[in-house]
Amino acid sequence: MVSDLTQLAINTIRTLSMDAVQKANSGHPGLPMGAAPFAYSLWMNHMRYNPRNPNWQNRDRFVLSAGHGSMLLYALLYLTGYDVSLDDIKNFRQWGGNTPGHPEHGDTAGVETTTGPLGQGAATAVGMALAEAFLAKTFNRPGREIVDHFTYVLVSDGDLMEGVCLEAAALAGHWGLGKLIYLYDDNEITLDGAADMTFTEDVAGRFRAMGWHTSHVADGNNLAAINEALASAKSVADRPSLIAFRTIIGYGSPNKQGTSDAHGSPLGDEEVALAKQSLGWNATDHFHVPGAALEHFRGAIDAGAAAESEWASRFAAWRAEYPDLAVDWDRAMAREFAPGWRDVMPSYEAGASIATRSAGGDALNVLAQFAPTMIGGDADLAGSTRTLIKDADNTGPNKAAERNLRFGVREHGMGAIVNGLALHGGIVKPYSATFFTFSDYMRPAIRLGALMDIPTVYVFTHDSIGLGEDGPTHQPIEQLMSLRAMPNLHLFRPADATETAGAWAAIAELDHPAAIVLSRQNLPVLAGNDEGIHEGVARGAYVLSEHESGAVDAIILATGSEVSIALDAAGLLEEADIRARVVSMPCWELFEAQSDDYKESVLPAGAKRRVSIEAGATLGWRTYIGDGGIAIGVDRFGASAPYTRIYEEYGLTPGHVAEAVTALLAD
């Protein structure tokens, strides 16, 4: 039997949610009203967390993948004592508030990840559970378990329809992530109507086929059954679990419960009043939080403090017994590499010919030696992306906690999982890898990583028409500019092996998401000192070559494989007594962060005759070449042929660049 106090607490979640949505005249009241019982049971009876320290390292994680139901989470955060006030609830979905329409990591204490695009939270949570498994293997010792927590995810029908969720869930089952539990709000309703218009599959059967433990609670208001299902799922150590709770969307609303009308719109003042009456509330009370319910919820503060205190004692004993491990732990939690990594970054002889994908693998492996929790992997392309960590094991069936993450052909899930690794904490520079054109498959995950501004690394190889014979399906054209347009994301396209090492060095100290775009074809190693080139890369753009007099008749700007073409063009121009400065621009975002004086030193305002060359869309280059400049690039799809022939046909040659500069000077 449910106690009066428990029912009061559950109904407080419901009424706060419907009031906030109604006041905002925007939002989704149905999910919080239907899911309140199992969310209450989880937060009050099963989850370990400390509202006064949302970043406690061994807390259980809760991800609201169905982010449209955000008021459920905000109500729980306020009621249990996080830094969310009743005024914040009243300010739901308003400018400057910390209770946005969908949960946003960094805006609200206790929000583990940004959700809203369906499926992303469910997939990101797989990365969190993977991080827990890896850190447990790395740092736990017999009798000294300091990493031991669950990741809980509230998923909806919409989440389970999205491909990204299925990609990640398949890996979770394959890897045997037993600390991951999906809570499926099985309310049979989507935005447009009954879920069975589009969704009739056997969800539990599908998850069992992917290696999950599943269970079903037929009545989403039955707290005894809810608690039993949660306890059972927690006891399954070798598989992730999915619990399907049959709930009623908009529960308590006499005219809208169980219908799509309760999904994505306010109930209306009259219906809110009727719903409150049906729940035993005063219809005229708005944002009413009964004192007994609040006191009950706020018990989570003392419980959380006690749980963290107990863990802190265990952690102190572990630290004393394993001081060397403790040093690694501290660096991992600070996202730092051990000292000395810069001294051993790869160096290359000028004139050698090396693909930047190979140089990228060299640099990655150096960094991996200085951070034992640096892990990552590829979308079934390790032989091509060169991103395997040497002498490290691969993930596999029931084998999650390894450094080389084998994602299979699941780019979208891969991107979200890597985001989860970064969000969890303790994983240093988690990375993914695939061909650059397939960044489109994972773009929503990259966008969320950029929105959250988390230090993930997305490695992309086979960066241009330089891919050659595989043809236009595999040759990226618009992707460079598309990703440059994404706020917070720092995109690096290094010119050679030395710049590639410099790019990884910059990424190692960058507290933002980064994409590094690398060539398949060999590129000449440019002349110059490593230290100077690394410094130039860290500034985003630098003067690579100019006339010995320092005079500048024209500037040629380039990135990646086209930098060597620009240098050859400058040589041709010098033969014609034209003094061309060559500027390498491996990272526009870092260059924009430099001082005005530095930017002027690289691109003097008086030097207006400028030509850019890049094997991608020319859109965007006007920023640096001006309206009178010439952008040489690729504004059509590629072709299947040896890459040298494609470069000739598309005008990406020293001669064409030299002709463009000469034409500007003739004006």
Side-chain angles (χ1 to χ4, degrees):
M1 174 180 266
V2 178
S3 72
D4 291 342
L5 179 59
T6 296
Q7 194 61 59
L8 186 72
I10 291 170
N11 287 343
T12 300
I13 297 171
R14 288 169 165 152
T15 57
L16 274 179
S17 298
M18 69 174 85
D19 276 344
V21 171
Q22 192 62 39
K23 183 175 185 293
N25 196 29
S26 172
H28 300 73
L31 184 151
M33 296 168 72
F38 74 77
Y40 164 86
S41 181
L42 174 69
W43 279 65
M44 297 304 289
N45 300 324
H46 296 276
M47 255 176 63
R48 291 180 303 172
Y49 56 95
N50 184 356
R52 293 298 189 246
N53 182 12
N55 297 319
W56 170 33
Q57 291 152 339
N58 201 46
R59 69 191 181 279
D60 289 337
R61 272 67 171 174
F62 176 78
V63 172
L64 183 70
S65 190
H68 56 275
S70 56
M71 263 313 305
L72 174 69
L73 179 53
Y74 298 147
L76 287 164
L77 293 172
Y78 158 63
L79 291 167
T80 57
Y82 282 81
D83 187 18
V84 176
S85 69
L86 188 58
D87 284 340
D88 294 327
I89 300 294
K90 294 177 181 178
N91 203 35
F92 178 55
R93 285 184 165 230
Q94 302 308 301
W95 178 264
N98 67 343
T99 51
H102 294 87
E104 295 183 30
H105 175 71
D107 276 12
T108 314
V111 172
E112 300 285 358
T113 182
T114 296
T115 57
L118 290 174
Q120 289 288 334
T124 301
V126 173
M128 295 179 183
L130 178 62
E132 192 276 344
F134 185 83
L135 294 173
K137 179 182 178 182
T138 303
F139 293 111
N140 286 353
R141 294 296 181 269
R144 293 280 186 259
E145 287 78 22
I146 60 166
V147 181
D148 179 18
H149 56 263
F150 287 90
T151 300
Y152 299 98
V153 194
L154 195 159
V155 298
S156 63
D157 289 307
D159 288 292
L160 300 184
M161 294 182 202
E162 289 285 1
V164 65
C165 175
L166 302 183
E167 289 181 15
L171 283 166
H174 175 71
W175 289 333
L177 292 175
K179 297 284 185 66
L180 175 67
I181 300 176
Y182 279 7
L183 313 171
Y184 171 27
D185 181 31
D186 182 14
N187 60 33
E188 301 183 291
I189 295 294
T190 64
L191 178 64
D192 276 349
D196 64 9
M197 279 196 302
T198 57
F199 195 56
T200 55
E201 62 202 58
D202 178 359
V203 171
R206 185 210 314 160
F207 272 77
R208 284 194 297 272
M210 292 191 295
W212 287 57
H213 162 259
T214 67
S215 62
H216 177 66
V217 175
D219 178 1
N221 288 306
N222 185 333
L223 288 187
I226 290 169
N227 276 307
E228 182 180 350
L230 286 167
S232 176
K234 289 163 64 178
S235 71
V236 178
D238 61 342
R239 288 170 291 162
S241 294
L242 176 136
I243 309 170
F245 300 97
R246 176 55 55 83
T247 62
I248 300 174
I249 193 170
Y251 181 87
S253 170
N255 299 303
K256 295 188 175 182
Q257 71 175 20
T259 73
S260 61
D261 290 340
H263 176 90
S265 301
L267 297 175
D269 290 331
E270 184 177 339
E271 189 67 17
V272 167
L274 292 173
K276 286 180 179 177
Q277 289 177 354
S278 76
L279 296 172
W281 236 248
N282 187 329
T284 61
D285 284 344
H286 301 299
F287 297 98
H288 174 57
V289 180
L294 186 61
E295 182 180 2
H296 174 56
F297 275 113
R298 291 292 165 90
I301 296 173
D302 288 341
E308 182 173 355
S309 177
E310 186 275 332
W311 176 83
S313 295
R314 286 190 285 118
F315 182 79
W318 171 87
R319 178 182 287 279
E321 191 169 350
Y322 302 103
D324 292 341
L325 271 182
V327 170
D328 287 341
W329 171 275
D330 292 342
R331 289 197 186 110
M333 294 304 156
R335 294 171 170 160
E336 294 176 349
F337 293 91
W341 60 269
R342 280 190 175 277
D343 298 334
V344 292
M345 286 297 279
S347 182
Y348 302 91
E349 183 178 348
S353 185
I354 301 169
T356 55
R357 61 170 173 164
S358 297
D362 295 341
L364 184 157
N365 270 278
V366 167
L367 289 172
Q369 296 174 36
F370 289 82
T373 68
M374 183 180 182
I375 65 175
D378 61 276
D380 198 45
L381 292 167
S384 293
T385 61
R386 308 288 201 265
T387 45
L388 284 180
I389 296 175
K390 296 174 182 176
D391 301 320
D393 286 338
N394 301 317
T395 54
N398 298 309
K399 188 181 177 186
E402 305 298 344
R403 300 190 74 178
N404 287 316
L405 306 181
R406 298 297 199 154
F407 291 105
V409 188
R410 299 183 180 94
E411 293 91 351
H412 197 177
M414 173 178 69
I417 289 170
V418 170
N419 286 345
L421 292 172
L423 287 162
H424 181 279
I427 304 298
V428 178
K429 295 297 175 189
Y431 64 89
S432 62
T434 189
F435 291 177
F436 192 28
T437 194
F438 302 140
S439 64
D440 290 342
Y441 278 144
M442 58 189 292
R443 185 181 175 87
I446 299 171
R447 186 176 188 272
L448 276 188
L451 178 60
M452 293 184 282
D453 203 13
I454 53 177
T456 48
V457 184
Y458 311 105
V459 179
F460 299 117
T461 65
H462 298 59
D463 70 334
S464 69
I465 56 172
L467 176 58
E469 291 86 348
D470 277 348
T473 60
H474 284 51
Q475 293 167 0
I477 300 298
E478 73 280 11
Q479 283 77 8
L480 280 168
M481 288 304 175
S482 176
L483 290 184
R484 283 183 181 135
M486 192 176 287
N488 297 333
L489 181 68
H490 287 56
L491 185 144
F492 294 80
R493 187 170 185 250
D496 72 339
T498 305
E499 273 200 6
T500 302
W504 266 110
I507 290 168
E509 297 183 334
L510 188 68
D511 198 26
H512 301 282
I516 183 167
V517 183
L518 305 169
S519 74
R520 174 184 183 268
Q521 74 273 28
N522 289 341
L523 300 176
V525 176
L526 309 176
N529 66 87
D530 289 7
E531 184 177 348
I533 290 177
H534 287 194
E535 181 182 351
V537 172
R539 288 178 174 268
Y542 64 103
V543 177
L544 180 62
S545 173
E546 61 184 342
H547 192 268
E548 60 184 11
S549 69
V552 180
D553 295 324
I555 299 177
I556 306 173
L557 303 89
T559 76
S561 46
E562 289 68 64
V563 172
S564 61
I565 295 173
L567 288 170
D568 289 344
L572 294 176
L573 291 166
E574 186 171 0
E575 293 175 3
D577 293 325
I578 297 173
R579 297 162 297 187
R581 168 181 287 188
V582 175
V583 172
S584 177
M585 299 191 71
C587 181
W588 289 18
E589 295 78 18
L590 285 178
F591 183 62
E592 288 302 320
Q594 302 307 306
S595 68
D596 289 342
D597 287 346
Y598 180 76
K599 286 189 275 191
E600 172 67 17
S601 73
V602 176
L603 298 174
K608 297 186 180 299
R609 293 178 175 86
R610 302 178 183 182
V611 172
S612 65
I613 177 170
E614 183 175 65
T618 59
L619 179 70
W621 273 107
R622 291 285 166 210
T623 301
Y624 298 113
I625 65 174
D627 291 339
I630 296 174
I632 298 173
V634 182
D635 289 318
R636 55 180 168 132
F637 290 118
S640 177
Y643 81 90
T644 52
R645 178 64 182 272
I646 303 174
Y647 266 68
E648 291 171 4
E649 295 291 340
Y650 282 38
L652 299 174
T653 64
H656 189 200
V657 174
E659 289 172 5
V661 171
T662 302
L664 286 177
L665 292 172
D667 288 345

